[in-house]
Amino acid sequence: MTVHHKMDAPDRANRLDDMAQGVLGTPMDRPDGPLKVSGKAPYAHEVQPEGMLHGYFVRADRIGRVADMDDAEARAMAGVRGVFLGGRLARNPCQGTADEAPVQPDRDVYYVGQPVALAVAETFEAARAAAAAVRLRIEDADRAPVHPESYETPDAKQSSQGDLEAAMASAAHTVDAAFTTPGHNSAAMEPHATIAQWDGDRLTIRAACQMLNYNRNEIADAVGIDPANVRILSPYVGGGFGSKLGIAPDAIGAAVAARELGAPVAVALTRQQVFEATMRRSETRQRIRLAADAEGRLSGVGHEAWVSNLPDESFSEPVTQATAFTYQGANRVIGHHIARISRTCAGSVRAPGEAVGVAAFEIAMDELAVAAGVDAVELRRRNVPAEDPSQGIPFSSNMLREALDDGAKSFGWDASMPAPASRREGEWLIGQGMASAVRVNMIGEAKARVTLHPEGRAVVETDMTDIGTGTYAILTQLAAEMLGLDPRNVETRLGDSEFPQGPGSGGSWGASSSGSSVYLACRDLRTLLAAKMDCTEEELTLKDGRAVAGNRAVALAEIMDGPVAGEGHIEPGETGDAVRQATWGAYFCEVGVNAVTGETRVRRMHGSFAAGRILNPKTARSQCLGGMTFGIGMALTEELIHDPRDGHVVNRDLAEYHLPVNLDVPQMTVNLLEERDPWANPMQAKGIGELGICGSAAAVVNAIYSATGVRVRDLPAMLDKVLAGLPEDA
């Protein structure tokens, strides 16, 4: 029996609160933590079968079409087993939830750095040397430019309400400004890697994947086999941030070579290959227009974005995704424009859309606050809409005001609006800035199986992944809470495509979707046990391996003949369209800007967030801290640089792509606000994995303005951009 639940109406049963086991909602440590810190957690490249070969990609050094390949020298090298050109090799990874093979261009080259051939040898070093010895002759071919020259304007991505031009003309205060953000790379700690092995026509791959439900179909389509003959194992993934949503070139290359050579093949990308051949966040150019009355209340909102991607890619950075509903304003224009260019593929990087769109919009809101002479927190409070202004539907919940108030109090926000550059400590100009946080919320279809054993232990199984977000902990806590068990007696098994299908890690929907399926599977078990106890599920209490109903208490072993499995199945439904679902928050930041060098140091930072029921405050807080750290990087250091001649990534490693490090990040604080959202799912929880980045960069940039009077609209705010605008007497 399976408990199937479709979210067609809000779920107000609130059964989790009835359990009262004291497990869920506590900061339980991750069960997988000891394995990871001791090096015992097996990542994609670490379970190496006997006789395994190694593959190394040959990269294209120009755009065009491979006319010829000279691999004689490579094949003559000791230990080299083969060189594979074109065919089924992938141009770039699948986009998230693609559910089909990525572009397989054969010999066509669409960007510099594209993997076009794979050298395979008995050792990694031999494969790398062989790849370096391969000579490609690439001829010119008709390709997109390396810089945006023209843009597509899809009708479905444009919208307007009222008359924004008239609102701008009659407004007491306006902002009309252009903002730019560069490309970003996910730079996950674990590079992409795959070990592929065939047993007849059955393919098993150990890979760094985020969404096994989709990845299974993608790899099957790419190599031309039935998905039923594919097994993917991804029990541990060392970060993804969107770059591992879809099957990538390493998996397809390893599978193709392993089938041809009749031996297991591993392909592990180098850091440089990760930067070139996986996903980048598109650069953006944004125009933001705001029209407000004398008190700062918005009457008009305009947000247009220009982004890029390769030809034949459906994804484009959804920059304006949150603009439609964050603030009021009867007159609105939303625009989205896409250029086709010959650069590394653009795709999902943590919080696609809001990470860059909310950041720019919140800088513009700060400009409006200054123009209107209204405190930045109060300006935002005045513009929280009563309903989604773009659709005229209610919010499932809107905690923005609460987050603003809580954050301002916790941070000690100065609402007196001190003049820029008015506070100084030696060489350092001190300023404070803030920004709102907002991220869309959703669930995906998910299934899970929970098996309860008579001796009082349980096993949770789903193909859901844990990319460092805490899935092992949260699903363990859910089962323990629902079944009355010590978490140490619950084993959670993840990352095997033969388990019931979950949505995967992405879109901040993992815990709320797979968590709901585990919750429902436990409800199934509770119903079965309640029948044994002659009571309803609601009347049943489970505690420490015993079932209690009325005056009767028995050990589970007395009413169970053996292991019993319950299955849960959650599906999105009408609640996704009936109300606007989102998560909310606010950031507060203090920076010091050196008056001599223009260097910015973040001195302290706080975030207050609301995301429904918090299932584990430790893992939730960790996600928020990570998102805020992302925001510091976006604001101050991170920038993909492309060579203007051929579009290749210049800074393709962690030495030149500058992530924030320990000294860049202060001790940050996070508050998690109490909330329940019955429209979201039966647990009344929401996703929190990406909320922490959605606007955090703006808080830093706004603090720089407060410190110096310099308004940076071209991110990141590196010292040269700040130094040039510092007042002469600074």
Side-chain angles (χ1 to χ4, degrees):
M1 179 176 146
T2 299
V3 176
H4 178 224
H5 187 92
K6 190 173 183 180
M7 285 301 299
D8 286 331
D11 191 323
R12 305 186 191 278
N14 205 18
R15 292 290 290 129
L16 282 173
D17 281 353
D18 296 336
M19 299 298 111
Q21 302 289 346
V23 177
L24 197 65
T26 65
M28 189 185 87
D29 290 342
R30 301 170 188 245
D32 50 314
L35 292 175
K36 290 180 175 178
V37 299
S38 63
K40 295 178 181 178
Y43 288 88
H45 197 252
E46 296 179 335
V47 182
Q48 301 186 357
E50 186 177 351
M52 187 184 82
L53 305 175
H54 298 263
Y56 195 97
F57 280 119
V58 179
R59 68 186 287 274
D61 60 3
R62 55 173 305 214
I63 299 165
R65 179 171 174 80
V66 178
D68 186 44
M69 178 179 74
D70 180 0
D71 60 357
E73 180 184 350
R75 288 181 178 275
M77 291 179 170
V80 173
R81 298 286 293 274
V83 179
F84 302 90
L85 171 66
R88 293 185 179 273
L89 297 185
R91 179 182 73 177
N92 50 264
C94 295
Q95 300 291 346
T97 72
D99 219 27
E100 62 183 7
V103 173
Q104 295 169 286
D106 196 7
R107 296 183 176 213
D108 289 331
V109 181
Y110 288 86
Y111 62 93
V112 175
Q114 179 180 317
V116 293
L118 181 70
V120 181
E122 293 171 2
T123 66
F124 174 81
E125 292 77 13
R128 181 177 58 189
V134 171
R135 299 292 177 260
L136 301 174
R137 182 165 64 85
I138 301 176
E139 296 180 341
D140 290 338
D142 185 23
R143 295 287 181 265
V146 297
H147 295 286
E149 294 180 0
S150 62
Y151 289 85
E152 303 168 3
T153 302
D155 290 342
K157 295 182 181 290
Q158 322 302 316
S159 66
S160 65
Q161 296 170 240
D163 188 339
L164 180 59
E165 298 291 346
M168 293 288 288
S170 62
H173 304 289
T174 62
V175 171
D176 187 346
F179 300 84
T180 55
T181 62
H184 299 134
N185 188 274
S186 293
M189 185 179 295
E190 177 198 24
H192 293 61
T194 299
I195 299 173
Q197 187 168 10
W198 291 84
D199 181 7
D201 61 356
R202 182 167 175 78
L203 171 65
T204 299
I205 67 170
R206 293 184 177 272
C209 296
Q210 292 183 228
M211 292 182 156
L212 273 59
N213 180 18
Y214 300 97
N215 303 151
R216 186 180 199 176
N217 296 330
E218 292 159 2
I219 187 69
D221 189 28
V223 300
I225 62 174
D226 190 318
N229 288 332
V230 174
R231 184 182 187 188
I232 302 178
L233 297 170
S234 302
Y236 300 97
V237 182
F241 310 115
S243 69
K244 299 169 183 173
L245 293 177
I247 283 293
D250 56 290
I252 298 172
V256 167
R259 179 164 57 183
E260 183 70 22
L261 296 172
V265 173
V267 177
L269 301 189
T270 65
R271 182 61 64 184
Q272 291 82 358
Q273 290 170 336
V274 169
F275 270 79
E276 284 189 327
T278 61
M279 292 294 191
R280 65 179 173 94
R281 191 197 304 278
S282 172
E283 75 292 340
T284 77
R285 178 164 55 90
Q286 304 176 48
R287 182 190 183 191
I288 297 175
R289 289 177 285 175
L290 303 174
D293 64 15
E295 296 180 333
R297 290 185 171 84
L298 287 165
S299 59
V301 171
H303 195 175
E304 296 173 88
W306 289 261
V307 300
S308 70
N309 209 342
L310 285 165
D312 305 314
E313 291 295 328
S314 60
F315 176 89
S316 60
E317 185 77 20
V319 176
T320 61
Q321 187 163 251
T323 305
F325 62 86
T326 306
Y327 298 116
Q328 66 184 10
N331 305 284
R332 314 172 76 82
V333 169
I334 303 294
H336 187 84
H337 314 278
I338 311 162
R340 300 298 174 184
I341 62 175
S342 295
R343 291 186 188 173
T344 295
C345 188
S348 294
V349 177
R350 192 175 193 177
E354 288 95 334
V356 286
V358 174
F361 201 92
E362 288 297 306
I363 298 171
M365 286 291 285
D366 198 67
E367 295 192 34
L368 180 63
V370 172
V374 178
D375 168 58
V377 173
E378 179 57 28
L379 180 88
R380 289 162 172 81
R381 293 184 86 265
R382 292 178 185 179
N383 286 291
V384 174
E387 62 180 14
D388 179 345
S390 67
Q391 300 183 70
I393 58 175
F395 289 99
S396 65
S397 70
N398 189 330
M399 295 284 288
L400 181 54
R401 280 197 182 94
E402 289 83 351
L404 290 166
D405 292 346
D406 181 83
K409 181 179 179 180
S410 295
F411 182 79
W413 175 252
D414 184 355
S416 67
M417 299 184 65
S422 61
R423 179 182 168 194
R424 185 165 184 154
E425 297 178 7
E427 289 185 353
W428 295 90
L429 301 167
I430 311 302
Q432 296 183 357
M434 59 79 53
S436 296
V438 57
R439 172 69 172 153
V440 294
N441 184 70
M442 66 198 93
I443 63 168
E445 184 176 7
K447 299 177 182 178
R449 178 171 55 244
V450 179
T451 303
L452 180 64
H453 293 259
E455 64 271 25
R457 64 182 182 88
V459 177
V460 177
E461 293 174 314
T462 168
D463 76 354
M464 178 61 184
T465 51
D466 189 329
I467 60 173
T469 46
T471 311
Y472 278 106
I474 288 167
L475 299 190
T476 296
Q477 287 176 277
L478 273 165
E481 185 75 21
M482 291 293 292
L483 300 176
L485 301 176
D486 188 309
R488 291 172 294 185
N489 292 328
V490 177
E491 178 187 1
T492 297
R493 300 172 181 171
L494 304 176
D496 186 335
S497 62
E498 296 195 343
F499 292 158
Q501 295 179 338
S505 298
S508 297
W509 67 7
S512 55
S513 304
S514 286
S516 293
S517 66
V518 170
Y519 164 85
L520 294 171
C522 292
R523 286 286 299 269
D524 188 12
L525 288 171
R526 289 178 58 86
T527 300
L528 294 172
L529 294 174
K532 299 279 190 179
M533 296 292 290
D534 296 321
C535 67
T536 65
E537 185 271 325
E538 290 78 7
E539 294 170 334
L540 176 69
T541 298
L542 298 176
K543 184 70 173 177
D544 299 329
R546 297 177 66 80
V548 180
N551 295 322
R552 183 184 175 201
V554 300
L556 291 178
E558 294 182 32
I559 57 173
M560 294 177 63
D561 297 327
V564 178
E567 297 197 356
H569 180 192
I570 185 81
E571 280 190 273
E574 294 178 6
T575 60
D577 297 320
V579 294
R580 166 61 70 182
Q581 295 185 35
T583 52
W584 308 92
Y587 311 95
F588 294 82
C589 178
E590 181 177 280
V591 303
V593 179
N594 191 284
V596 178
T597 66
E599 173 192 5
T600 297
R601 292 282 181 91
V602 179
R603 292 160 53 109
R604 60 192 182 100
M605 194 168 185
H606 172 80
S608 289
F609 303 102
R613 181 194 299 271
I614 300 301
L615 303 174
N616 181 320
K618 182 177 290 185
T619 59
R621 178 177 179 273
S622 177
Q623 289 300 293
C624 295
L625 292 174
M628 291 160 69
T629 302
F630 253 77
I632 292 173
M634 186 190 305
L636 300 179
T637 62
E638 291 189 47
E639 178 180 20
L640 273 183
I641 299 172
H642 297 269
D643 190 300
R645 298 166 297 179
D646 61 11
H648 81 268
V649 180
V650 175
N651 55 336
R652 56 194 185 109
D653 57 38
L654 297 180
E656 300 300 329
Y657 181 82
H658 296 147
L659 297 170
V661 297
N662 285 351
L663 287 177
D664 297 315
V665 182
Q667 289 294 320
M668 297 184 289
T669 55
V670 168
N671 290 353
L672 300 170
L673 305 187
E674 183 69 23
E675 184 197 8
R676 299 282 191 272
D677 191 342
W679 293 87
N681 51 63
M683 302 185 303
Q684 304 180 350
K686 297 180 184 178
I688 201 170
E690 294 167 306
L691 178 61
I693 189 178
C694 301
S696 51
V700 179
V701 173
N702 293 339
I704 291 173
Y705 172 79
S706 170
T708 65
V710 178
R711 182 67 73 183
V712 179
R713 301 189 183 98
D714 175 29
L715 272 59
M718 293 185 178
L719 56 88
D720 57 322
K721 299 173 188 176
V722 176
L723 191 60
L726 287 177
E728 292 184 2
D729 58 352

